[in-house]
Each structure stands twice: as C-alpha cells, then as structure tokens.
Amino acid sequence: MEELKVVDTRGVKIWRSLRRDKGAMLGASFILLVVLMAACANLAPFGPAEMDWDVSLDADAPTVLPPSAKHWLGTDRTTYDVFSRLLHGARLSLLTGLAAVGLALLVGVPLGALSGYAGGRVDGLIMRCVDVMLAFPSIVLAIAIATLLDQRTVTTVIVAVGVVNVPTIARQVRASVLQVKTQEFVLAAQAMGLGPVRILARHVLPNCLAPIIVLSTLGVGYAILSAAGLNFLGLGPEPTVAEWGVMLTDGYSYVLQDQQWVVIPPGAAIAITVLGFNLVGDGLRKALDPRAR
Amino acid sequence: MLVFTLRRIVLAVPLLLFTSFLVFAIVTAFPGDPCGEKMGPRPNPEALQTCRSNLNLDGSFGERYGNFMSGLARGDLGRDIHTEESISDEIWLRFPATLELSFVALFLAFVIGSWIGTRSALRPGSWIDACGQLVSLGGVSIPVFWLGMLLIALFGVKLGWLPFSGWSAEEVGPGVDYATGFYLTESLARLEFGAFFNALKHLLLPAVALATIPLATITRMTRSAVLEEVGKDYVTTARAKGLSERQILRKHVRRNALIPVITITGLQLGTLLSGAVLTETVFSWPGMGTYMMAGVRSRSYPAIMGCMLLFVVIFVLVNLLVDLLYHWIDPRMRDEA
Amino acid sequence: MRYVAWIVLACLSFGLGSCGGDDENAPLLKVVLHHGNNSRPYMPIPEEVAKQIKGALAPIGVEVEIKKVEWAAYLDLVKTGQHQMALLGWSADIPDPDNFLYVLLHKNNARPGSANNISFYTSDEVSERLSEARRITDPAQRNKLYREAQEIIFDDVPMVPLVYTERILAHRSDFGPLRIEPVTHPVLRRITQPKDGAIVYLRGHDSKKLDPGDVTDGESSKVVEQIFDQLLRFKPGSVEVEPSLATRWTSSDDRKTWVFTIREGVKFHDGTKLDGAAVANAFERQRDPEHPHHFPDGVWSYYQDLFGFIDKVEVGANPMEVVFRCNEPTPPFFLKMLAAFNTSIPSPAALTKFGKDFRRNPVGTGAFTFVNWKSGEEIKLERNDGYWDGPAGLKTVYFRVSENPTIRSTRLMADEQADLIDNIDPQTIKDLAAHGEVTLLREPGLNFGYLAFNTQKPPFDDPRVRRAIALAISKPRIVKFAYQGLALPATTPVPPTITGHHEGIKSRERNADKARALLKEALGK
C-alpha cells in the first residue's frame, strides 16, 4: 500500500505539471483529434477504397473532383473520397506508430537492460551492434529492411520502422540501468540473493521508466513520420489502402495539376499527429525530469 | 590530443568493417533471383553464368564476402544488373547533386536556426521564444516530401517563381562545359554568375524542404548555448562597462555560443544526405537517393549496396570528424577522453 | 481526468470499430490481380487500371488484392502462369490479326515458361481456325476465320480486352513533315524542314542497347530504326511494304523458299559493302546459337518467337542474292515481317570488330550514323551523306531523356531543348493542341490493353466466373479515369486499325446485379 501511494502522488504531480504545460495540452488535443478521427472512420460517407459511381464520364468532365457537398475534401483520380480515406488513414497511422514503437520496446528494452546490467563482454557485444546500426542513416536502413521483407504490406512497414528504432531505445535503457544499478536498493536486493531477472524486472526497470516513456512518446511521432515516408516511396501497402503516406505517393502529379485538395489533407494530418506526439513527449520530458526545464 | 585522434580513427575502422558486413549481409539476403528475372524464362546458361558471376552470386557466403571486400578495396562496386554500367561510376555521377543539395540545406538551416535560437534565448518565455519552439518542432513534424510538394505547388506552379526540377548541366548553365557535377560550386569558381544564380534557383526549393530536418536541433542547441553564455560573468562585466546589448551579442556571446552549434550542424550532414532520399524523389533530383530508389524498384542489388555503403561511410566519417573537431575546440571535452 | 476518460472511450470505439465485420457484404470470392510496374504504350498507368477493376468488382462480391511487380519479374510470373488475373497488353510487331490472335490465344503459345498466351487458353475451336488462317493466303477466307475466332473468344472470355489506345506525338511546328507511322516509330529521315537542322527527340527513358537483333524495347528500336535498314520497309503512313535493301524477290510455289536480290552500291557507315552475305549474317546470327555474332548474353527471344519457321538463310547463286529456306510454308504476312526492326542489317565487319559492344556502337546502312552515347542522357546521330535513297534533311538528331512526362510537354511548349516528344502526359494534351508553335499528332494505335484470366486455375477455369467479371467491368470508366479519355473501349483482341477486326462485336454493358447473380450461380452460393 505504501508503495502504491508514492507512485500515485508522483503521477498526480506529473499530471499537474502537464496540465500547466500549454504545449503538451495542445499536443494532447491533436492526438485526441486523430484518435477521434480513427474512431469515427466507420461513420465516413465512403469506404476506404470505394469509387464514386455517379461521376460523369463525359469527355469534358473533370476526373479529379474538387471539394463539394458530397465529397467534403474532393476526390482523387480514382474517384476515391479524400475525406473518408483521411479518416480511415488515421487508424493505420496510429496503429503503425504504436506497433512500431511497441516492437522497438519489445526488443530494445531487454537488450538495453541486459547490456547495462550484465556489463563486460555481453555489454560490449550488444553495444557494438547498436553502434553498427546507428551508423546507418535511419531511412536508408528502413528502406533496406523493407526491401528485404519484400512484402508490400503494413506489417513490413511496422517491422522496418520498429527495427530501426531498436538501437536508440536499447542505448537509452542501458544508460538508465547503469545509473540505477549502483543505487543502494539494488545492491540491497543483490545482497538478499535475488536473481538478476527478478532484480531487473522488479527494481531496476521500474526506476528507468521515465526516460523510456519520453522516448517512446517521441518515438511514436517519429515512427509515424518514417512510415509515411516509406509508404510514399512505394514500399508500403498497395495504393488502394487508405494510408496517409500512400495517399501522397502521386502527390506530385496532383500538385502540377493544381489539385491541392488531394495533397494537403493527408500531409497536414501526418504533421498534426507527429506534432502532437512531439509536444506531449516534450511536455513529459519536462514533467518527469525537472532539470530539463 | 594526438593519442585521442588516433584512438578515434582506430575505433572507426572496425565500425566501418562491421557496417560494410551488415550491408553485404542484408543485400545478399534480398529475395528473388535477379539474373533469372533478367534473362527471362529461357535463359542462355552461359549468359546466366556470366550474369551470376558478375553479380557475385556464386560460391559460399564466405567466398562471396571475400569477393565483395576485395572489390571494395579496389573501389569496384560491381555493375548494374540491367545497364551493365559500373556502379561506382554511376554513383560518382550522382553524388555531387546530393552533396550540393545537402550543403545548401545545411547552410539555410544554420542561418535560420541560429537566428531563431539566439532571439529566443535573449528573451526566454517571450512570444518569439514560443514561436521559435513551435517552428523548430513543426520542422521535425512535417513530412519533408509533403513540404516539398507544397513548395512546388506555391512557388513553382502557382507563382511560377522558381524551377522545381531539371538539375542538369544543360538546364542549369547552358553553354558552360562542366568538368564536374558540382554545378553550383563550379559555376562560381569559373565566375559564370548567370549559371551560378540559375543553379541557386534550382537548389532553393529542395534545399528549403530538406533544411527542416536539422532546423529543430540547431535552433534548440543555439538557444541553450546562448542562454548559458548570457548567464556568464563576463557578460555582466561587459554590461557594467556600458557596452550595448547588440555589441555584447555580436562580439562575445555569439562568437562563443556558436562553436558548439557549428559542430552540431556538421553532425547533421549524415542525416541530411539520407533525408535526401525523400526530397530527391519529390523533386526528381538526379542524386543518390533517386538512384538508390531506382535500384530498389529495378532490383539492381549492387546499386542499392553501393548507395548504402556510401551513405554509411559518410555518416561515420562525418561523425568522426565532428567528434575530433569538437574535442579540439572545446578543451573541457579532453578530460573525458 | 476528463481527458483520460475521453481517450479511453475513443480507444475503445477505435478497437470495436475496426473489429466490426459485416456479414452481408462479405466477399463471395477473393482473387489477386497482378500488374507490372512500368508504363507501356497500351497501359501508361497500370496501377490506375487495377484500381478501377478492383472498384468495379467490389460491388459484385469479388475482393481483389492488387500486387504490383517489377517488370522483368512480372513477365516471368505471368509467362509461367503463377497469376489468377493479370494486366497486360500487346503492340503489333506485324500488322496482321495473326500477330494478335495466334500469339495471344493459340494453344501453341500456352506453354508455361514461354507463354504469350498468358490466359493459357487452349480452345481447340479457336486454335484450329487460327492455324488454318496461317496456312492459307486468300484474304476473304482468312478474314472469315478470324471473325469466327473472335466470336468464340468473346463468348468464352479468356481475356477482357479493355482499351485500344491512340498513338500521340507532338513536335515543334518548324520541323516537318512528320507523321505517325502505323507500325514503326517516326521516320526522321523524311523531315525536310529546316534544311540541315538539328532535332532534339525528348523521351522518357534511355535506350537499353542498339544491336537490332538483341532489342526488345521501344526506346531502343526507336533509335535502331534511324540507323539501320531492312530488306523491305513500310510505305509512308501505310501497313503495306515496298522494296528497301532488297529490290526484287520471288518465292517457290510451296512458299518454303524465297530468293531476294540485294540493292547494288549500298555501303555501311563503316565503308563495308552491303551484299548477300551481310544480309544472311543478320538472320543467321539470331537463329544459330553457335554463330560468332550470337553474343551469349543477348536476348534473342524476339526472333525465336516470330521466325521459328526459318531453317536457314544463305547467300544465293550470285553474291547479291540471299535465299530463305523454311521448314513450313511462310505465313501470309512474311514480307511484312522483313520490315520489322529486328531484321535490320548490321555491318558484319563492325560486329566482328566490336563483338558484344556492338550494342553500344551500332553500324548500319541507315540515313543516320551513330556518333556517341552518354548513358542515361543522350544519343547523338549525324546524317549519312552517302545514303542510298538520298541524304536526309536533318543534319543532327539528339535523343535525350526527361523522365517526367509533364516536364517533357512543358519543355516542348517553351522550346527548351525539345523539338519532338512522345509518351505524352494526357493532362497536357489540351495545352499542346492549343499551342501555336506545336503540332499535335494523334492516330489510332496498333495495340490494346487487356485483363487476362488464368483459365487453367480456379476460379477462372469456369467461363461463368469470367463472364461475371467481364459484366462487372466498366470500360468507359477505365478509359476516362485510367487513360484520361485518350483511348477507346476495346471489344475484341484485334484493334480496329487492323484488317480482320470484327466490328460486329459489342462490349458487355456493366450490370452489377446480373454479374453478381452469375457469380453466385457459378460458385454455388
């Protein structure tokens, strides 16, 4: 009970600090907006890849329809409804971002913890691997992994972006573990003869949570951005899938035809989502680490 | 100092070796049979064999890695599957375009970022500080390829002020006989000012789009460096001596604060070079990014491998250089070594 | 705390929303549609055609998964029959119905691995008629057989012909005269204005190689045709042939032996004299894998696919004669085949001198001489002043590359290093037509784009399923959205520009309800 209470007051403190942070609140409302978009996707007037069958086929009729009462944000050249695809895209973007970071955490946290706690050769080996991966510009590595997987699906993109984020997380976790591991309560636990796994899970990692949370939040935004980039390059799912990056793949030709309504919404949606996670991540950093203020 | 430098260089060698191994391992594991695909359903066995040995597809993993490394030592990255051009020649043909674009972008980011950073540090908490933070955060949040499209839409299509494609000798400076692919640098060196400004115009839109990547880091770094510097004793002394704020800023604060900022800026070069993959695609820029993507699309594995290697080498070397530079400039760092 | 509640609520609905399945709209059938990744004259944006088909099939209960595959891998995939549905097209090599129907739908061409009949359609009724039309020469009788074949094919639906495309060129009006040829690329030799001018032909991609026997792509043959001559050539704007390097010819009664007399006094660009041996060499090097000029890494499939009936080509009784010996009567369109670019006559001396590098140093007898080639950028040709048919009007021809079609149009209109462009961006057609200094040329093409079913594999081994799909597809929509209106809905595999096209066949009108009913019946659901 004692412990719970401590955590509670700390949480409340952080929450208050966040509430006072205008930037973080703005970011949170952006994220909320995107979550609502994702939630409302089923209410969208059209399906994610549903053509409009009522368009005119006359020679002079436009192929790309500007915004109207029927199509709030117009259509693209396949007569998909941009607004509906925007809503459906919110799901995929959130899913991609969260899953990629989840994957990175799943691999990165144990690696980092092992490296930091075990030290010695294990640490050296893992950290050399991390160095090698960090020597790659992230987008280049992501492209290579996506090509390696050779399946143009959402999963490919999630794995590519997730793997690229592993070294950053592993390195951060290792640094935190190194800090925590010399503290008295850990030494005490070791003296009591507890096993390393138990010590790591029960005592060390819970005290490393703050930087991991910050990094993960920022990471979600970054992952969404990278995923959009991969999709834009054509390494993601097929073009009928409603995903913001995919929607921008042919952006260039729409731009040249002055059909901005196809291009502006998905890009703005990506920007707002990523900005949201960045602002909240920043806010969390300030709230969790008083020195950063 | 010498010991430190040598140690860093020696440490970089195994890193490069490991990364080149990883590049080889990844590309070797790429699925598909590029030769079989190229030759079609009824391949000539001899031609298939030539193709396979050209692409280093025969032998055990170890033998192939040996071939790869010995080729690398000779600067030979193999030949393109389809065009049979030498990959290293092709890459060097495109490298200048990427390099000039990255440098101009970096310069833009440095000028804008250090200005915003300084202003916000001088008035922390003011509207300009808030704006600066938003701009820099917005910079990293906006997808570069989308920003590129918007720039094309506005300045290229709507207003028609700036060109948004066509980076070639013939477009940039007709009549100038370029010896290198560095159109901007070379036209300046040859005092062909018409061609120089034309090149600058071609570079501007992609460079602005690309500059948003390092902008946030540079702005933040400047802000904290200037903040730290302003709090120091000598500034107070200078103020007491009656120097104007502008003089203090120009003569003392900026000079001292910018040193770390410059090194951080340098550190961004590697990221930028690869961020160019997206920007180059939007602007159909004939650089390494578009070459690598063409390799991905046409399954020209040696081309992908060559581009990855060059990106990694530059990334590692720039980091090493900045590390050394930083150490050399800031003596405090030496104690850690 | 309110925020937290909101977020939890939203996440819940997010989760529920994505789980919610709707049984009524559950697909009856799931299929994969493959398409290649590059732009062809008959299908500039395959992706958009695929999207239109997917959209048209969704309402009848067919869920389509679109898979885009790199071109070479794609051809391999369809030729070995790994597909269910695939998008492809055909551009005529020879202006004859045989070149469409025999190649694409005869059972002889359905061997997995080398199939051009990627529907793997093996109907005996159709194959017999097509074989018969190959044997006879009477035009009326051949026509009748082709019409019958087209009717059976329409009913059986091994493929859905989607569109016939137009051929479009645009050039600066101060160059001319220029016309779209039905079979070949534009003949630059015929341009007379301006005298001694230089023309920049701006196109989307560079050539791959310029060895005529080893060329399969349009960007290469476009250049090859300017440098080389063939035994015969197409009359201007026509699908009929006239003498070129051959002046006279005779055939035996069984049409198994042909003798051609070669034009006197013709010289290759390297000064070598043209004779019967040079002509025989051009064919033998493609046929015989042991021939010293049959470079092992070449792609010789073009010859193998078209000229399989030739046993040997050799020098005749006098050195200026060449004899074709065949193992079966030559097809009725044999002479037209001798005007195709792959029968171009290269200089034997240059082939020996350059070896396989001939592909980057072509030497022919044509109106233009190859000068140099900067990969990915430019191929430069100069006028051949000693051309046997009189020197060309133009002095220099540059083939340059600009990948973006919009930019090609923009540059032509602005007169920025572009005098002639092809593969034109449909969105710029209006501007080009209205431009005072640009001439826009449009002609119906010799090609068509189609959707092929793999008739050997379920579910498309059932003609009812194929008919249901054909009923669901809206060709006018495909024309409008995937071709920007620059195509005609196709009815049969033979385009209307070819004698033998069956104009009585009309496409099925889209009827989603009927299609769904038919599909349900076929699937027993």
Side-chain angles (χ1 to χ4, degrees), chain A residues 138-139 161 164-165 217-227 274 277-278:
Chain A
S138 57
I139 186 97
V161 174
V164 168
N165 278 318
T217 316
L218 293 172
V220 173
Y222 181 71
I224 291 175
L225 201 60
S226 316
V274 179
F277 280 102
N278 279 344

Side-chain angles (χ1 to χ4, degrees), chain C residues 232-278:
Chain C
L232 283 81
R233 66 184 184 196
F234 290 100
K235 292 177 186 166
S238 162
V239 295
E240 300 304 320
V241 285
E242 63 180 12
S244 178
L245 293 182
T247 50
R248 279 179 298 126
W249 50 87
T250 54
S251 79
S252 62
D253 287 342
D254 63 356
R255 291 192 296 121
K256 281 186 172 176
T257 311
W258 290 74
V259 179
F260 290 81
T261 308
I262 309 302
R263 190 178 292 276
E264 295 284 346
V266 178
K267 278 193 171 141
F268 288 102
H269 302 147
D270 61 358
T272 322
K273 192 173 160 291
L274 174 80
D275 54 12

Side-chain angles (χ1 to χ4, degrees), chain C residues 76-84 112-113 115 118 120 454 457:
Chain C
D76 197 33
L77 182 144
V78 292
K79 279 172 184 281
T80 46
Q82 297 168 43
H83 59 294
Q84 286 186 304
I118 64 160
F120 297 92
N454 188 338
K457 269 192 197 166

Side-chain angles (χ1 to χ4, degrees), chain B residues 36-42 44 46-47 82-85 90 93 164-165 170-171 174 284 297-299, chain C residues 37 70 72-73 76 79 113-114 294 296-297 301 304-305 356 359-360 375 377 400 404 407 411 416-417:
Chain B
E37 280 167 17
K38 181 199 170 196
M39 297 287 163
R42 277 180 294 175
N44 175 318
E46 208 176 311
H82 304 284
T83 64
E84 295 181 10
E85 300 283 334
E90 293 287 304
L93 214 61
F164 48 88
S165 66
E170 167 198 310
E171 282 269 333
S284 27
R297 271 191 294 272
S298 69
R299 291 174 177 254
Chain C
N37 71 342
E70 195 274 322
D76 197 33
K79 279 172 184 281
S114 59
H294 189 95
D297 58 343
S301 57
Q304 288 157 4
D305 289 346
K356 70 173 195 172
R359 66 181 61 139
R360 296 190 72 85
S375 259
E377 282 180 36
R400 290 200 183 128
N404 188 307
I407 288 170
R411 280 176 58 177
E416 277 180 17
Q417 307 277 337

